[in-house]
């Protein structure tokens, strides 16, 4: 093994570790819902190659309104699924789509794109 | 003319009791410009008629807030069909753009390929300047990358910022690496030669991968629109206008959105029924196949319900609107199917877990592949080999096939079900139905019609049967009791002429009395005659006992103080029950019957339809217990009931099927709702479930096998043994085909049709 191979090996392993850390292990900031005057909870989510925020905290027992703004035309994000609430919605590009639900039980509920590649979590407390 | 008032519906929040509702109502009614305000506590909705000149939605909301309650902001109140149309338009536009991008990539790739081949041809190599050729290829590749492939890079970058990786990430990294290497070889070939490397370029690889992936996307998009065709067809059924009859008798065509509750709507032969309502006058046959799957038109007369989107065949009628917008049966069906399509099937769980970690894992595998090749291959060829394998691994991996395997099949399956009047509430219900090995039928309303019919009419000796039936029918025509209706149907079917009856009186819990032909007539139970002091002659008593022994309901008839005959009334078996039960048994399912009747009747009905195991004398409260009993035997039980009286049993069963009487069903009652009162629906539901699950299994198997075989081969696992190294271009072709094959397999379900006997 020459020096180049050693460098490539070390760089490759470091890069692989970085990928694992970046996608799986790094902490994500959580966003809390904003209470509305009428007692509901509202969260604005931008959809662009992912959901931001992708970790959303809401309180249980109060209606939640998720406002998804899809800021791209990429077909990956055109569908939104909230399987635990039986919701499947088409998100038109460059528009806000409202999704309303009432979380009755505490827990973590995933929302994903149509193919399950883009992911976000709704944490009900 | 525009109506002077407008109607607004608000969703009110925070009402805890009925008095809150009246408080909100008062507050709204006091608002200037409001003509009428109705607040429904149960639905938490306020409906307000107001003058647009004096009030506006904003002032109305203010009034609610002032009363101390909130207004829930709603999604723009466009109809589902409009929303769908807008989305469809956007999708069509996206499709056209994608097609253009594909053609640009394909056209340029077709130029780039032969030019790259020149390098393999020594005679040509000597004549052309390598450097110039590479620059030429670079110029041709740039549009493929920057125009056709732009979305991959943008999407990958957007995803990366969210710490998310998707299919585009793989393509972007794969083609990006090939391109950057080629760019370096083009611009600084000297560096490569100094390292003892040929300055090779991979422009053809880059362009071909992009073209092939776009082709795959194009095919995928086309197939995907077909998976939701059934629900779009349902939405398209909605009538656009209604012919409303104004109080002054004027007929006006109004857009469906302006039709209000209690409007009178006229429907002519051949026209679509605009919305749900009750027939006020006229009669006709209505084709309800689009909602129930029932192929024969249904007779409708005054007092019957009609449903929006059904087709009026023969007569014309007027109906009073009872439901509009989202409350109509059609809207509820659409919503139910949409919800089902949005739900996740348990079978998908593994695929979900895998796809959540799929892309980053593949990136790591690709990096390790690169390192291994670089370390193990001969020094002079290690960089190109490492690069080619790296790109091939990234490109061949297909998370799409995994992601599409289950949802596409569920979409086609639930849509297909709706077409046949089988409404599936969730993917889980669809999946559960295929595991069923025992079908428990609640006799009343499923095997039988669930409505009484006269089975025997026994006049006392010496009585004229036809004449007596006319007298009996004359009294019963006045009554609204279900048993009386059965008697009237029986008499009408035998052509009994109508006689006038006077002095009709319904006697609660006993029967009825009236005067026909100047003679007092009594019809009812034994108590009625007993209290009137009428004794039964032996022949009548015998006939009654025989009927009672068959668990029939007996109606006694007395004319002028003499008992003159008895009628036996019982629930009758549906014509299709026996065939459907046979079919279920042939599918390998055990069919068990449950009934509140005595063992004798139970045995009789069971024998009639070919059921060998049954539970008799089951009290309503014990129905769920019987389900448990079967489950304790290790069976997976599907319970079929009418959805009204047997909700606990439906819930206890592994899967509940509620059979609606016609279209009057509670859609929420069970996992699967059968719109048609016919056991054939059970057969359809279970067959559809079995086929859908089979397709899903094939899809998942294919997707897993494809990836677990494809990735190692692309990494070069076969190279040490057979010298086979997968070209990244072949990898791109395989990847494009894999998701299309999964989709096409799901679309095979479109050919599903329930087996008929």
């Amino acid at each position: 093994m020459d020096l180049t191979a050693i460098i490539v090996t070390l760089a490759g392993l470091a890069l692989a570790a970085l990928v694992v850390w970046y996608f799986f292990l790094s902490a994500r900031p959580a966003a809390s819902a904003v209470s509305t005057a009428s007692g509901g909870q509202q969260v604005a989510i931008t959809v662009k190659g992912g959901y931001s925020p992708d970790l959303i905290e809401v309180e249980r027992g109060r209606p939640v309104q998720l406002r998804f703004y899809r800021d791209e035309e990429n077909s990956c994000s055109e569908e939104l699924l909230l399987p635990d609430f039986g919701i499947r919605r088409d998100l038109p590009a460059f528009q806000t789509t409202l999704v309303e639900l009432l979380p009755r039980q505490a827990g973590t509920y995933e929302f994903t794109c149509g193919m399950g590649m883009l992911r976000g979590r709704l944490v009900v407390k | 003319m525009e109506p002077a008032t407008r109607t607004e519906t608000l969703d009110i929040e925070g009402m805890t009791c009925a008095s809150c509702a009246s408080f909100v109502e008062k507050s709204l009614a006091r608002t200037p410009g409001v003509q009428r305000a109705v607040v429904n506590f149960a639905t938490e909705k306020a409906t307000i008629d107001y003058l647009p000149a004096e009030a506006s939605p904003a002032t109305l909301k203010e009034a609610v807030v002032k009363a101390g309650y909130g207004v829930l902001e709603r999604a723009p109140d466009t109809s589902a069909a409009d929303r769908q149309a807008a989305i469809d338009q956007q999708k069509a536009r996206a499709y056209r753009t994608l097609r253009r991008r594909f053609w640009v990539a394909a056209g340029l790739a077709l130029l780039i390929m032969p030019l790259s081949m020149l390098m393999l041809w020594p005679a040509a190599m000597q004549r052309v300047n390598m450097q110039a050729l590479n620059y030429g290829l670079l110029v041709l590749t740039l549009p493929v990358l920057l125009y056709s492939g732009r979305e991959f890079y943008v999407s990958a970058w957007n995803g990366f910022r969210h710490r998310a990786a998707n299919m585009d990430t793989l393509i972007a990294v794969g083609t990006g690496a090939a391109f950057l290497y080629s760019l370096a070889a083009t611009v600084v070939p000297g560096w490569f030669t100094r390292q003892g490397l040929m300055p090779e370029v991979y422009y053809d690889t880059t362009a071909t991968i992009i073209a092939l992936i776009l082709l795959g996307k194009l095919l995928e998009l086309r197939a995907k629109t077909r998976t939701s065709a059934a629900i779009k067809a349902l939405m398209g059924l909605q009538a656009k206008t209604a012919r409303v009859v104004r109080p002054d008798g004027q007929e006006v065509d109004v857009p469906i959105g302006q039709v209000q509750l209690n409007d009178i709507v006229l429907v002519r032969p051949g026209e679509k029924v605009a919305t749900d309502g009750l027939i006020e006058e006229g009669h006709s046959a209505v084709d309800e196949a689009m909602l129930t799957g029932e192929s024969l038109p249904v007779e409708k007369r005054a007092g019957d319900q009609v449903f929006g989107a059904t087709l009026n065949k023969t007569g014309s009628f007027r109906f009073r609107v009872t439901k509009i917008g989202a409350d109509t049966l059609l809207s509820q069906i659409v919503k139910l199917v949409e919800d089902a399509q949005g739900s996740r099937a348990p079978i998908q769980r593994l695929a979900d877990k895998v796809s959540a970690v799929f892309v980053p894992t593949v990136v790591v595998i690709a990096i390790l592949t690169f390192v291994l090749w670089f370390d193990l291959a001969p020094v002079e060829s290690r960089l190109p080999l490492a690069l080619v394998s790296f790109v091939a691994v990234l490109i061949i991996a297909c998370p799409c096939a995994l992601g599409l395997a289950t949802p596409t099949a569920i979409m086609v399956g639930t849509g297909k079900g709706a077409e046949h009047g089988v409404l599936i509430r969730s993917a889980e219900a669809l999946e559960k139905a295929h595991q069923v090995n025992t079908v428990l039928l609640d006799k009343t309303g499923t095997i039988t019609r669930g409505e009484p019919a006269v089975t025997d009419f026994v006049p006392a000796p010496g009585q004229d049967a036809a004449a007596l039936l006319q007298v009996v029918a004359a009294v019963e025509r006045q009554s609204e009791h279900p048993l009386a209706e059965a008697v009237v149907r029986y008499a009408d079917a035998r052509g009994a002429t109508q006689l006038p009856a006077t002095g009709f009186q319904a006697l609660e819990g006993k029967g009825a009395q009236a005067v026909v032909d100047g003679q007092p007539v009594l019809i009812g139970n034994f108590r009625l005659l007993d209290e009137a002091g009428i004794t039964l002659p032996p022949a009548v008593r015998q006939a009654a006992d025989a009927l009672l022994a068959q668990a029939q309901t007996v109606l006694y008839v007395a004319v002028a103080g003499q008992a003159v005959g008895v009628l036996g009334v019982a629930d009758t078996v549906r014509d299709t029950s026996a065939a459907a039960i046979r079919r279920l048994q042939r599918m390998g399912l055990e069919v068990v019957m449950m009934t509140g009747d005595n063992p004798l009747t139970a045995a009789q009905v069971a024998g009639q339809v070919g059921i060998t195991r049954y539970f008799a004398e089951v009290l309503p409260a014990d129905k769920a217990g019987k389900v448990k009993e079967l489950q304790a035997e290790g069976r997976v039980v599907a319970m079929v009931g009418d959805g009204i009286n047997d909700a606990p049993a439906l819930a206890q069963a592994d899967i509940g099927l509620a059979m609606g009487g016609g279209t009057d069903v509670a859609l929420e009652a069970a996992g699967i709702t059968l719109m048609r009162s016919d056991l054939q629906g059970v057969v359809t539901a279970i067959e559809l479930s079995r086929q859908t699950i089979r397709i899903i299994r094939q899809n998942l198997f294919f997707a897993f096998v494809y990836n677990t075989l494809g990735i190692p081969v692309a990494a070069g696992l076969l190279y040490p043994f057979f010298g086979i190294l997968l070209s990244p271009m072949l990898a791109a072709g395989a990847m494009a085909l894999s998701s299309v094959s999964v989709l096409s397999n799901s679309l095979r379900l479109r050919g599903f049709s329930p087996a008929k006997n």
Side-chain angles (χ1 to χ4, degrees), chain B residues 346 584 592:
Chain B
L584 287 171
V592 181

Side-chain angles (χ1 to χ4, degrees), chain B residues 85-268:
Chain B
I87 287 167
D88 284 348
Q89 225 174 8
Q90 209 173 53
K91 281 190 179 164
R93 215 170 33 236
Y95 181 77
R96 283 196 299 272
T97 318
L98 184 62
R99 200 173 47 192
R100 204 163 48 232
R101 285 169 47 206
F102 163 69
W103 282 119
V104 169
L108 288 171
L110 281 178
L111 267 177
I112 293 165
M113 283 275 253
L115 285 176
S116 309
M117 303 281 180
L118 283 180
M119 284 185 283
L120 305 175
W121 195 10
M125 276 269 281
Q126 282 159 7
R127 285 193 205 159
V128 291
N129 180 339
M130 270 287 288
Q131 188 91 18
L133 179 67
N134 282 354
Y135 271 107
L137 289 172
L138 171 63
V139 170
L140 289 173
T141 309
L142 274 176
V144 179
L145 217 69
L146 298 181
Y147 172 70
S148 300
R150 187 171 171 273
E151 201 191 73
F152 299 130
Y153 306 104
V154 172
S155 158
W157 174 244
N158 284 335
F160 183 77
R161 283 175 34 207
H162 287 101
R163 296 169 193 260
N166 52 36
M167 191 193 86
D168 293 338
T169 313
L170 298 175
I171 297 161
V173 175
T175 56
F179 178 78
L180 290 177
Y181 182 89
S182 311
L183 186 67
T186 308
V187 181
V188 283
W191 184 84
F192 286 81
T193 33
R194 273 200 302 282
Q195 312 294 317
L197 290 169
M198 275 286 286
E200 276 178 273
V201 293
Y202 296 94
Y203 292 122
D204 54 341
T205 308
T206 313
T208 313
I209 290 173
I210 291 177
L212 282 171
I213 303 286
L214 286 175
L215 175 68
K217 275 205 152 191
L218 208 58
L219 295 174
E220 187 184 307
L221 213 60
R222 244 179 42 187
K224 250 166 95 180
T225 52
R226 302 220 310 261
T227 59
S228 54
I231 189 143
K232 276 187 203 138
L234 268 178
M235 284 181 184
L237 288 174
Q238 170 81 57
K240 300 273 181 291
T241 60
R243 185 165 298 122
V244 173
V245 184
R246 298 269 184 236
D248 58 10
Q250 203 190 343
E251 293 170 12
V252 211
D253 275 329
V254 300
I256 192 73
Q258 288 179 19
V259 175
Q260 310 237 337
L261 289 178
N262 294 318
D263 275 354
I264 302 294
V265 176
L266 176 69
V267 188
R268 299 213 183 107

Side-chain angles (χ1 to χ4, degrees), chain B residues 455-756:
Chain B
T455 54
D456 293 274
F457 172 47
V458 191
Q463 291 285 334
D464 176 3
L468 182 60
L469 190 60
Q470 282 174 21
V471 171
V472 171
V475 178
E476 297 289 52
R477 261 181 239 286
Q478 314 274 330
S479 168
E480 284 173 352
H481 196 278
L483 289 179
E485 282 171 19
V487 173
V488 173
R489 269 200 308 276
Y490 178 78
D492 284 348
R494 274 150 197 80
T497 44
Q498 300 203 8
L499 294 179
T502 53
F504 173 83
Q505 209 185 339
L507 306 161
E508 189 71 35
K510 287 184 278 185
Q513 66 175 37
V515 178
V516 182
D517 266 348
Q519 293 190 312
V521 182
L522 286 176
I523 302 170
N525 55 17
F526 180 71
R527 210 174 113 208
L528 179 72
L529 268 66
D530 195 38
E531 284 179 12
I534 300 168
T535 50
L536 299 180
V540 174
R541 178 174 294 277
Q542 251 171 33
D545 286 347
L547 291 173
L548 285 170
Q550 292 170 41
Q552 301 212 5
T553 306
V554 178
L555 289 177
Y556 299 85
V557 183
V559 177
Q562 296 290 317
V564 290
V566 287
L567 291 133
V569 183
D571 199 1
T572 51
V573 171
R574 287 184 208 281
D575 304 331
T576 51
S577 295
I581 288 168
R582 238 188 349 262
R583 174 84 209 156
L584 287 171
Q585 287 164 339
R586 269 212 297 275
M587 285 163 72
L589 299 160
E590 173 152 16
V591 183
V592 181
M593 185 183 85
M594 162 162 84
T595 173
D597 296 341
N598 61 49
L600 198 70
T601 324
Q604 202 191 343
V605 174
Q608 224 175 322
V609 294
I611 290 177
T612 47
R613 184 172 178 191
Y614 55 87
F615 300 114
E617 287 174 341
V618 180
L619 297 174
D622 296 340
K623 285 181 181 177
K626 291 294 168 197
V627 175
K628 265 190 213 159
E629 212 176 298
L630 287 173
Q631 283 170 331
E633 293 172 19
R635 295 163 182 274
V636 182
V637 180
M639 161 84 201
V640 187
D642 61 12
I644 300 159
N645 308 312
D646 34 28
L650 288 175
Q652 172 63 41
D654 295 283
I655 172 83
L657 291 96
M659 200 150 104
T663 28
D664 190 19
V665 285
L667 295 181
E668 305 288 307
I672 296 178
T673 305
L674 308 175
M675 298 294 288
R676 201 152 38 121
S677 329
D678 182 341
L679 281 180
Q680 180 64 38
V682 181
V683 179
T684 307
I686 292 177
E687 271 185 350
L688 182 64
S689 160
R690 286 184 176 182
Q691 283 202 25
T692 308
I693 297 301
R694 195 177 312 136
I695 298 256
I696 291 176
R697 286 211 176 117
Q698 290 165 356
N699 284 350
L700 287 174
F701 179 78
F702 173 80
F704 276 115
V705 167
Y706 167 85
N707 279 303
T708 44
L709 289 184
I711 293 174
V713 169
L717 195 68
L718 297 181
Y719 188 78
F721 310 107
F722 308 103
I724 298 172
L725 196 59
L726 193 69
S727 136
M729 287 183 260
L730 271 179
M735 142 84 192
L737 277 179
S738 68
S739 51
V740 174
S741 353
V742 163
L743 261 165
S744 312
N745 195 34
S746 293
L747 284 173
R748 287 199 303 135
L749 271 175
R750 278 159 57 97
F752 172 84
S753 72
K756 287 269 182 319

